[in-house]
Amino acid sequence: SQQGEEDPQALSIQEGENATMNCSYKTSINNLQWYRQNSGRGLVHLILIRSNEREKHSGRLRVTLDTSKKSSSLLITASRAADTASYFCATVWAQKLVFGQGTRLTINP
Amino acid sequence: NAGVTQTPKFQVLKTGQSMTLQCAQDMNHNSMYWYRQDPGMGLRLIYYSASEGTTDKGEVPNGYNVSRLNKREFSLRLESAAPSQTSVYFCASSELHRANTGELFFGEGSRLTVL
């Protein structure tokens, strides 16, 4: 990827557990965004964290940003079956929003 | 609210045929984008339009043309389809140019197969 890469590529956990996904990027950023994609659907914006923020919460989502390590993490707490989806980070590169390859999250009942 | 609407949802073409993917947004956004999504490749930007009347190339523009017909509509044209263009195409829009701070709103995708 030219900018962001998610890790792991796939993650399978039991319902109720927490899920953590990581994103690494290469250049300085103004902000980093996370998106979710359910199978066969378009992407949906989850959360945006600015470069001067270290942590941000939205419901069961917690995003952290470490600009010194050029990395971000997305934590989903108390996972549900409906959280099964692919998750993408996105950053601006060459004045365009570019996406990583995504983490495929499966929540097992 | 419809948001971003793409047509068609599915299309099968033969090599060499042409077609146009249509996209319309009703959120009064200035910027619109076309991405393609392939397995293991994430989303790659094909073209984008910062505002009505302007278009710019993205990462993978070869084999495509676009038209920003008005503020609402942004179409993607394949003049001579090739099997390598088999993909899922997503249109998106945002309030702010270059998505420096604006979130993108996506359509549901157009699944194109080129035989």
Side-chain angles (χ1 to χ4, degrees):
Chain A
S1 170
Q2 289 176 326
Q3 180 65 323
E5 288 192 3
E6 289 91 346
D7 171 63
Q9 291 188 355
L11 179 62
S12 181
I13 61 173
Q14 295 300 120
E15 194 168 15
E17 294 180 339
N18 295 341
T20 300
M21 290 156 272
N22 302 295
C23 170
S24 60
Y25 57 92
K26 298 176 182 175
T27 62
S28 298
I29 58 171
N30 290 325
N31 68 68
L32 184 144
Q33 303 180 31
W34 284 92
Y35 289 78
R36 183 188 73 232
Q37 183 181 33
N38 290 92
S39 180
R41 307 296 298 274
L43 279 73
V44 174
H45 183 265
L46 292 176
I47 196 165
L48 179 153
I49 186 166
R50 301 186 189 282
S51 60
N52 61 353
E53 297 176 308
R54 290 296 168 260
E55 188 171 308
K56 198 165 183 178
H57 296 254
S58 177
R60 293 183 297 111
L61 305 181
R62 182 172 77 104
V63 170
T64 61
L65 180 64
D66 187 334
T67 54
S68 67
K69 295 181 179 178
K70 293 187 170 59
S71 67
S72 174
S73 67
L74 171 66
L75 168 68
I76 303 174
T77 61
S79 63
R80 305 168 182 170
D83 295 327
T84 293
S86 292
Y87 292 82
F88 297 86
C89 66
T91 57
V92 175
W93 179 84
Q95 301 178 336
K96 307 172 190 61
L97 192 66
V98 293
F99 292 80
Q101 296 181 16
T103 292
R104 193 168 56 254
L105 175 65
T106 302
I107 309 299
N108 302 303
Chain B
N1 285 338
V4 178
T5 303
Q6 294 181 230
T7 56
K9 287 184 169 51
F10 299 94
Q11 184 72 47
V12 178
L13 292 177
K14 294 181 180 178
T15 296
Q17 288 185 319
S18 62
M19 77 158 298
T20 299
L21 300 177
Q22 308 285 355
C23 175
Q25 52 93 8
D26 61 3
M27 295 170 282
N28 202 36
H29 287 164
N30 286 316
S31 300
M32 297 185 73
Y33 310 80
W34 276 106
Y35 287 86
R36 61 177 287 174
Q37 184 176 34
D38 302 293
M41 298 291 290
L43 280 82
R44 292 181 292 170
L45 182 64
I46 305 171
Y47 270 94
Y48 69 99
S49 170
S51 60
E52 184 179 351
T54 68
T55 61
D56 287 287
K57 294 178 180 179
E59 302 170 67
V60 288
N62 292 344
Y64 305 95
N65 286 303
V66 290
S67 295
R68 183 72 183 269
L69 305 170
N70 47 56
K71 192 171 186 179
R72 289 187 65 247
E73 299 172 291
F74 188 38
S75 63
L76 178 71
R77 182 161 178 84
L78 287 69
E79 291 291 351
S80 179
S84 61
Q85 294 178 304
T86 293
S87 187
V88 181
Y89 292 85
F90 288 97
C91 178
S93 70
S94 72
E95 191 170 282
L96 297 176
H97 174 39
R98 297 168 182 167
N100 270 324
T101 54
E103 68 179 90
L104 264 61
F105 293 81
F106 282 83
E108 292 296 301
S110 298
R111 286 147 185 82
L112 175 66
T113 301
V114 183
L115 303 175

